[in-house]
Amino acid sequence: MDSKKEHTAKNNRIEKWLKDPIRADVIDIAWPVLVELLLSSLFGMVDMIMLGRIADSALAAASMAAVGITNQPLFIGLSLVQALNVGATAMIARYLGSNRRDRIENTLKHVTLLSLVMLAIPISLFGLIFSDAIMTFMGAQADTLQAGSAYFKIVMIGFIFQSLNMSISAALRGIGETKVPMKINIRVNFLNIFGNAVLIYGLFGFPKLGVTGAGLSTTLANAIASVFLLKYIVKGNDVIQLNLKTRFKFDKDIIYNLVKIGVPASIEQLVLRTGVLLFAKIVAGLGTVTYAAHQIALSILGLSFQPGQAFGIAASSLVGRALGTNELDLSEDYAKETRRIGSMISTFMALILFFLGPQLVSLYSSDPEIIKSASLALKIIALVQPFQSSQLILAGGLRGAGDTFWPLLSTFIGVLLIRVALAYVFVNTLGYGLAGAWVAVFVDQFVRWFFVYIRFRTGKWKYTKLR
């Protein structure tokens, strides 16, 4: 009888915890984003595992290294697009909260057009023309360049579709609609995995294309996602839609807001990706096998990023909406609750990375040297988790308020100054190898957390004005 009472009391506590209105709002927005991002990372990990299982071990290592080297410049482009989208999410959330719904569609049109014309198309063309030169600059050795040249060109075409998808998804997240992007991305990622298997290994009579096949499958999946997302917003709902018959007009207030929020966010992302690129170049100097181990660690790190990213997106949407209704205390409560839940999940993931590192790495490769190096990196990554998650979520809250300068400052100091400098010293001067590089990442994450946390505690971000 006592056991039954205890069970009932436990269920009541869980139900009460879930029904807290602030917590319910956070979970409602964050869980679809978390599922979407986690599955995207898992699918990315499966891509790497497929490449790592290519029969020729030298080709497998070169293929994984090619994906890693290609991802660094690609992520610079995606980060610039994402920075512009930060402004869209914050503005649309603020307009929704203040009941200025007439401005939501126009903001969607502005951010979509600007991201395509100013960023996606020019960057894609640049990547297509200078693909080999970029890979060589990144430190690609001859085997990596041979394996990955065609892959680089193909994913740069897919970059245009990725950019469009990110802009539409950012607008939908601004109104709190996170389930639609989740459902679409899950479908196309399953399609991508199937396409990878067929084109990498040459199944069902298709040619055996290796890493080039992975690029083709990824680009096709991104194009299909664009079709689904465009169909949804053209069809429209009661809050956001894209009316193609309405004539587009530039709005100086929307441009002002996008510049005010987006320029610091763009500089932050440019600084971040430049720092990560230089960091990758330092690690690439350790050789193809070590870089393959590093890339596996990065792939798994991408999975651990996702709770912070998901709850950071939820914080942006909810903080922006609360500030739109001028509920300043509520905006802070939303930010604190998103950090609390996101940190709980990240701590759980840290334990998995610390204790099950070798088992995770062995999914990618059976090479003992790769398993040893990547597993040690994962132990360091596990220690990074509390600072990483808190930093990502609180920075998301600041961006939702339109306060993007302090995340920029923290990234400039943490990544470009501390991570790159320490990695160079630890790897090239002291000879600590891959472990030294990842210790530099730990110090960087701690410094970024410190700056963002101090800014959040001041509360000044609640008074950022938008037009």
Side-chain angles (χ1 to χ4, degrees):
M1 191 70 179
D2 289 340
S3 177
K4 186 175 180 180
K5 286 182 179 179
E6 288 176 6
H7 182 70
T8 302
K10 183 179 180 181
N11 286 341
N12 288 338
R13 286 196 299 272
I14 294 173
E15 186 177 353
K16 183 180 179 181
W17 189 85
L18 290 171
K19 283 188 175 180
D20 177 88
I22 292 175
R23 190 171 295 124
D25 286 344
V26 170
I27 293 173
D28 184 58
I29 291 180
W31 80 260
V33 183
L34 180 58
V35 170
E36 177 189 344
L37 294 178
L38 283 175
L39 287 177
S40 293
S41 286
L42 283 171
F43 288 134
M45 291 169 67
V46 171
D47 286 357
M48 290 289 290
I49 290 168
M50 286 181 175
L51 292 172
R53 295 295 175 180
I54 290 174
D56 184 334
S57 60
L59 179 60
S63 296
M64 288 191 291
V67 171
I69 283 174
T70 297
N71 281 345
Q72 298 309 319
L74 177 65
F75 286 163
I76 291 176
L78 288 173
S79 297
L80 291 174
V81 174
Q82 182 60 36
L84 186 62
N85 294 335
V86 166
T89 299
M91 289 166 60
I92 288 174
R94 190 79 71 97
Y95 291 147
L96 180 65
S98 59
N99 205 28
R100 300 171 71 187
R101 298 193 175 193
D102 56 304
R103 310 209 72 181
I104 291 177
E105 182 188 355
N106 209 12
T107 302
L108 168 63
K109 287 182 176 179
H110 275 77
V111 74
T112 302
L113 188 63
L114 290 172
S115 67
L116 286 175
V117 174
M118 293 180 60
L119 294 172
I121 295 174
I123 291 172
S124 180
L125 290 173
F126 183 82
L128 285 168
I129 295 169
F130 298 106
S131 56
D132 287 359
I134 294 169
M135 291 187 71
T136 302
F137 171 78
M138 284 297 303
Q141 299 180 12
D143 54 349
T144 302
L145 188 62
Q146 183 178 357
S149 180
Y151 173 84
F152 191 110
K153 292 181 174 69
I154 292 166
V155 297
M156 289 311 299
I157 296 171
F159 172 70
I160 296 173
F161 298 110
Q162 278 183 281
S163 300
L164 176 61
N165 299 343
M166 290 169 70
S167 296
I168 297 173
S169 295
L172 291 173
R173 287 166 180 160
I175 65 168
E177 177 52 84
T178 53
K179 295 182 181 66
V180 169
M182 176 195 72
K183 291 175 182 176
I184 290 173
N185 279 299
I186 288 174
R187 290 174 195 163
V188 298
N189 275 309
F190 272 115
L191 179 63
N192 183 28
I193 290 295
F194 177 76
N196 279 342
V198 170
L199 295 176
I200 290 174
Y201 302 124
L203 306 179
F204 308 116
F206 281 86
K208 189 176 182 180
L209 299 176
V211 69
T212 303
L216 285 169
S217 178
T218 300
T219 296
L220 178 61
N222 283 320
I224 293 172
S226 295
V227 172
F228 284 135
L229 285 167
L230 282 169
K231 183 179 177 182
Y232 179 81
I233 61 170
V234 168
K235 184 179 178 182
N237 60 29
D238 60 337
V239 179
I240 191 168
Q241 63 178 337
L242 181 64
N243 188 341
L244 299 176
K245 295 180 181 179
T246 304
R247 185 180 175 186
F248 174 76
K249 291 182 180 179
F250 275 105
D251 185 310
K252 65 175 190 254
D253 286 340
I254 290 177
I255 296 293
Y256 170 85
N257 289 335
L258 283 173
V259 168
K260 181 179 179 180
I261 300 172
V263 167
S266 295
I267 297 172
E268 178 198 350
Q269 290 300 321
L270 190 60
V271 166
L272 172 64
R273 291 304 164 187
T274 300
V276 170
L277 186 148
L278 293 173
F279 175 74
K281 187 173 172 62
I282 291 169
V283 177
L286 294 170
T288 298
V289 172
T290 301
Y291 192 80
H294 172 68
Q295 188 55 37
I296 290 171
L298 278 178
S299 178
I300 298 172
L301 175 66
L303 184 66
S304 75
F305 257 83
Q306 305 315 337
Q309 294 276 29
F311 283 92
I313 288 170
S316 292
S317 178
L318 291 167
V319 165
R321 196 185 309 175
L323 292 178
T325 57
N326 206 33
E327 296 176 275
L328 305 187
D329 290 341
L330 180 61
S331 69
E332 184 170 347
D333 290 340
Y334 276 136
K336 287 180 177 178
E337 189 61 32
T338 51
R339 183 183 61 165
R340 190 176 296 119
I341 300 173
S343 295
M344 288 167 55
I345 297 172
S346 291
T347 300
F348 172 73
M349 295 186 72
L351 293 172
I352 294 175
L353 296 179
F354 192 88
F355 292 106
L356 300 178
Q359 290 81 355
L360 290 172
V361 177
S362 64
L363 295 173
Y364 292 82
S365 175
S366 56
D367 187 316
E369 185 178 344
I370 289 178
I371 292 174
K372 181 181 177 181
S373 297
S375 298
L376 180 57
L378 290 186
K379 288 189 184 299
I380 300 170
I381 290 170
L383 301 177
V384 167
Q385 293 305 300
F387 305 108
Q388 173 184 283
S389 176
S390 180
Q391 179 260 130
L392 288 169
I393 294 168
L394 291 181
L398 295 180
R399 293 185 189 107
D403 183 1
T404 51
F405 174 75
W406 279 84
L408 162 61
L409 181 63
S410 71
T411 300
F412 180 83
I413 295 173
V415 178
L416 201 56
L417 298 184
I418 291 176
R419 182 193 292 199
V420 173
L422 285 182
Y424 182 85
V425 171
F426 289 158
V427 173
N428 294 334
T429 304
L430 300 178
Y432 291 162
L434 189 59
W438 281 96
V439 169
V441 174
F442 173 84
V443 179
D444 153 45
Q445 288 286 358
F446 177 81
V447 169
R448 279 196 275 168
W449 165 80
F450 178 78
F451 274 92
V452 170
Y453 179 73
I454 292 299
R455 176 60 177 178
F456 178 78
R457 285 291 300 270
T458 66
K460 293 179 180 179
W461 51 272
K462 290 184 277 190
Y463 303 97
T464 305
K465 301 296 182 184
L466 296 181
R467 293 182 182 178

